[in-house]
């Protein structure tokens, strides 16, 4: 019994286009704005946000998101809601961080209307 050779297709991967990312724009304000979306570290950004409107905007969004994370902790007594809420809050956190890195002041889909 002869073994058949399996032909494995060649995979072509795209090279990453690093020209779209401007790492020179990454300064302390951007780093603090990213930290504002992380639940416990929001307080660090809150301390430094008094004179910068860009940072203040993202800190306010982060505080509203942080309050929803606290609500998430208390939702574990319900059957299916914690899983849905966890995925939604994680998605909102990623959207907020992407907005910061891209330099936009966009409100988060649900949380932005609460503020």
């Amino acid at each position: 019994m002869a073994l058949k050779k399996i032909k494995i297709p060649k995979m072509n991967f795209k090279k990453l286009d690093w020209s779209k990312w401007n790492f020179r724009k990454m300064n302390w304000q951007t780093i603090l704005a990213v930290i504002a979306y992380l639940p416990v570290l929001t307080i660090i950004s809150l301390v430094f946000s008094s004179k910068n409107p860009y940072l203040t905007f993202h800190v306010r969004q982060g505080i509203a998101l942080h309050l929803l994370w606290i609500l998430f902790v208390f939702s574990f007594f319900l059957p299916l809601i914690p899983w849905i809420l966890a995925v939604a809050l994680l998605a909102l956190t990623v959207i907020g961080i992407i907005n910061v890195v891209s330099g936009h002041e966009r409100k988060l889909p649900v949380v932005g209307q609460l503020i």
Side-chain angles (χ1 to χ4, degrees), residues 20-88:
K20 294 179 183 177
W21 296 85
N22 189 358
F23 289 107
R24 285 182 238 150
K25 282 186 172 181
M26 294 287 191
N27 54 11
W28 64 273
Q29 295 171 354
T30 307
I31 293 169
L32 285 174
V34 168
I35 288 174
Y37 286 101
L38 302 176
V40 178
L41 301 176
T42 306
I43 298 167
I44 295 171
S45 296
L46 183 63
V47 172
F48 296 106
S49 70
S50 63
K51 295 182 182 178
N52 188 347
Y54 176 74
L55 186 56
T56 304
F57 173 80
H58 288 292
V59 166
R60 290 179 66 196
Q61 295 284 311
I63 288 172
L65 192 62
H66 184 72
L67 293 175
L68 286 178
W69 277 106
I70 292 171
L71 181 74
F72 166 71
V73 170
F74 291 112
S75 70
F76 275 104
F77 299 111
L78 303 171
L80 186 62
I81 294 177
W83 293 102
I84 297 169
L85 198 57
V87 170

